[in-house]
């Protein structure tokens, strides 16, 4: 029962004085008390009815409200007459965000108590009596009868629970009713991955945007059933999760068991999806082996034509292609079992390459991913017509995937799953229009991934467009050389900025980005040109360089990129 139901029952004579945003709280009981601190008798979720006999001073009110709030009560209710004598209660409850009701003088506390007890007891009995029947219906109407959405619809109709299934990146796979906001979904996925990495017991409780969710893992049973002990890092980035808009801490064991059964049903659907990908993975592996072996383009093209009905539904026989290479790296402690990074990277890359607007477990059917050692390699077919310009302003003439866009929305959740000891790097090739270009595209994607690996951060990507510039050289510069080079040029400026707050480093970056134009740089920094000339002069004085010389500009540019 919700607080809102009490307020809407006219016979109970309740008037809301504050806390409208919390009317969806669950009521689990009722207690009548005049104690200043009744917390020892509370277990959470109660409506506390009080005559305010011991709460005449503001200090007493503060003690009472703090105690019941800490105990997790749903609301406080007091008589209209008594409340008029203790005005501090309204202000204090508002400060603690605790719902407060005024009870009409014609309604006895016993009437409210009887109604709450009757409703709560009936709901609990109904829950327990229906558990067996619900199990039967879920088992007979599960994935074989329509997929995860059928199961989630039953949760909504039978238990009034809104629920969604998400991938580890926060992509919605299934759900009943309105979809969650993408940022909320990403937050839930990240919190779930972090809790799983930390070894915390599920369900995980997360509150975001004022709403509490309970998160249940949906295990990849094919992976967890493999022989030998499993490192959590091999499964955390591949498992789905069930998010329920409720606080499972309030549930009886029978309801928790029911939700565990739901996750097992959805895991069956997950296994079915993975089994359907087996053929696609094998075909991708065969094409990859031909490409890596340097086979003749005609042989590769022939193999692609044979694979076309599976790999290219709706694309015809001759699409454009891109190659995406991903690599997962983990810090390895002495004595730890090695992690099968290739298989994990393969499953993760399949998820990353799904259209972010797509939903449903079969929305990645056109993605073919193989793995070779620790690398996962995707062959991505593209439409032959140019794609429209993206929200980030990427050129519409460039076909296909862009490295930064791939990771923009999912970097947060993946970083949480990688923790402090994991790293994911991706490289994306340019599009090619024939089998003859696949070998070059593979090498291009691998080079781009090395560029990404040279960058800081847990999740990094680089694209083919970056290979035509100086950044191609940076990943191959030894770390000690990079550190010495950047320290020699930038440390004097950093030290000066630290002492004088002169903003020499931001000024240098803006000056180079403005191609050395005094007017454009001054406008960008909202400075007078003379002030800008003074700062640039100070940079030259501290470093012994001349920013009118191309060589010195290039050295500063490279130092900033490597820092």
């Amino acid at each position: 029962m919700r607080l809102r139901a009490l307020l809407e029952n006219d016979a109970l004579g309740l008037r809301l004085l504050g806390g409208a945003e919390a009317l969806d709280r669950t009521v689990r009981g009722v207690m009548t008390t005049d104690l200043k601190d009744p917390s020892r008798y509370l277990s959470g979720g109660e409506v506390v009815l009080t005559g305010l006999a011991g709460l005449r001073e503001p200090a007493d009110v503060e003690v009472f409200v703090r105690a019941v709030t800490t105990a997790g009560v749903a609301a406080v209710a007091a008589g209209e007459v008594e409340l008029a004598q203790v005005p501090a209660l309204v202000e204090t409850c508002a400060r603690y965000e605790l719902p407060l009701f005024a009870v009409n003088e014609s309604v006895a506390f016993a009437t409210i108590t009887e109604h709450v007890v009757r409703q709560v007891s009936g709901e609990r009995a109904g829950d327990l009596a229906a558990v067996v029947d619900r199990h039967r219906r879920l088992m007979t109407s599960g994935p074989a009868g329509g997929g995860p959405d059928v199961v989630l619809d039953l949760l909504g109709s039978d238990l009034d629970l809104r629920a969604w299934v998400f991938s580890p990146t926060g992509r919605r796979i299934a759900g009943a009713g309105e979809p969650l906001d993408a940022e909320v979904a990403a937050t839930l996925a990240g919190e779930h991955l972090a809790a799983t990495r930390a070894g915390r017991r599920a369900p995980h409780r997360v509150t975001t945007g004022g709403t509490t969710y309970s998160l249940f893992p949906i295990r990849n049973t094919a992976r967890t059933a493999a022989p030998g002990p499993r490192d959590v890092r091999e499964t955390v980035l591949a498992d789905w999760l069930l998010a329920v808009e409720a606080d499972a801490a309030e549930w009886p064991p029978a309801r928790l068991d029911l939700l565990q059964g739901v996750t097992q049903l959805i895991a069956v659907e997950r296994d079915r999806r993975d089994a359907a990908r087996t053929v696609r993975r094998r075909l991708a592996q065969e094409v990859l082996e031909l490409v890596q072996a340097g086979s003749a383009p005609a042989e590769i093209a022939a193999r692609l034509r044979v694979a076309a009905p599976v790999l290219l539904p709706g694309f015809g026989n001759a699409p454009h292609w891109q190659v995406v290479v991903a690599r997962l790296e983990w810090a390895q402690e002495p004595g730890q079992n090695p992690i099968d990074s290739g298989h994990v990277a393969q499953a993760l890359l399949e998820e990353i390459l799904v259209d972010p607007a797509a939903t449903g477990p079969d929305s990645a059917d056109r993605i073919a991913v193989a793995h070779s050692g620790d690398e996962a390699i995707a062959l991505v077919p593209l439409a032959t017509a140019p794609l429209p310009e993206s929200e980030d302003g990427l050129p519409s003439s460039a076909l296909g995937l862009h490295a930064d866009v791939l990771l923009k929305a999912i970097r947060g959740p993946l970083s949480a799953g990688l923790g402090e000891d994991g790293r994911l790097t991706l490289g994306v090739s340019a599009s090619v229009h024939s089998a003859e270009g696949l070998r070059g595209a593979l090498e291009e994607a691998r080079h781009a991934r090395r560029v990404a690996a040279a960058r800081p951060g847990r999740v990094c990507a680089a694209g083919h467009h970056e290979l035509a510039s100086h950044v191609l050289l940076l990943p191959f510069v030894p770390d000690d050389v990079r550190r010495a080079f950047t320290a020699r040029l930038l440390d004097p400026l950093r030290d000066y900025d630290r002492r004088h707050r002169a903003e020499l480093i931001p000024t240098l970056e803006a000056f180079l980005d403005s191609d050395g134009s005094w007017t454009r740089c001054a406008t960008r920094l909202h400075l007078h040109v003379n002030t800008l000339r003074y700062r640039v002069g100070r940079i030259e004085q501290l470093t012994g360089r001349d920013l009118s010389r191309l060589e010195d500009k290039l050295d500063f540019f490279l130092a900033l990129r490597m820092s």
Side-chain angles (χ1 to χ4, degrees), residues 38-201:
S39 57
R40 73 183 70 180
Y41 304 108
L42 298 169
S43 58
E46 297 92 343
V47 173
V48 174
L49 304 171
T50 177
L52 305 177
L55 306 180
R56 299 305 180 188
E57 299 296 329
D60 297 331
V61 172
E62 180 75 18
V63 171
F64 172 79
V65 174
R66 183 170 61 246
V68 297
T69 302
T70 302
V73 304
V76 168
E80 293 270 13
V81 175
E82 289 79 6
L83 276 169
Q85 301 173 30
V86 188
L89 184 60
V90 177
E91 183 273 330
T92 307
C93 285
R95 183 154 40 85
Y96 279 87
E97 299 181 343
L98 179 65
L100 176 64
F101 294 104
V103 182
N104 189 286
E105 59 183 343
S106 64
V107 178
F109 281 1
T111 301
I112 299 173
T113 300
E114 181 183 357
H115 176 81
V116 171
V117 170
R118 186 171 62 250
Q119 291 295 318
V120 171
S121 298
E123 288 178 357
R124 289 175 179 169
D127 269 355
L128 295 174
V131 163
V132 174
D133 181 60
R134 273 194 285 270
H135 267 294
R136 178 188 60 77
R137 292 174 60 194
L138 289 171
M139 292 301 293
T140 56
S141 302
D149 286 302
V150 172
V151 180
L152 301 185
D153 283 340
L154 281 174
L155 283 180
S157 62
D158 282 18
L159 296 179
D160 194 25
L161 291 176
R162 297 179 68 207
W164 304 264
V165 176
F166 295 112
S167 77
T169 64
R171 179 177 65 89
R172 178 180 176 269
I173 293 168
E178 291 296 319
L180 277 185
D181 178 78
E183 289 188 10
V184 174
T187 297
L188 295 181
E191 293 287 344
H192 173 75
L193 291 173
T196 303
R197 279 300 310 271
R200 297 203 293 272
R201 186 176 179 181

Side-chain angles (χ1 to χ4, degrees), residues 499-521:
R499 294 195 308 270
H500 302 285
R501 298 182 179 178
E503 298 188 353
L504 296 185
I505 291 287
T507 300
L508 175 61
E509 291 175 331
F511 186 72
L512 295 176
D513 286 345
S514 303
D515 297 324
S517 168
W518 297 99
T519 303
R520 288 206 308 272
C521 184

Side-chain angles (χ1 to χ4, degrees), residues 406-479:
L406 275 179
L407 298 179
K408 180 179 179 182
I410 62 179
R411 185 173 272 111
L414 291 183
S415 296
L418 290 165
E420 296 299 319
D421 56 354
R423 195 156 191 261
L424 173 69
T425 51
L426 275 78
V428 181
S429 78
S431 62
V432 295
H433 59 81
S434 68
E436 187 175 6
L438 282 178
R439 182 172 176 81
L442 174 59
E443 291 306 314
E444 191 173 55
R446 283 174 167 163
H447 279 300
R449 193 206 63 78
R450 293 189 190 102
V451 171
R455 295 173 175 167
R458 292 287 167 198
V459 182
C460 298
H464 59 91
H465 59 285
E466 300 180 72
L467 301 184
S469 71
H470 61 281
V471 297
L472 176 62
L473 304 175
L474 299 185
F476 307 103
V477 178
D479 288 344

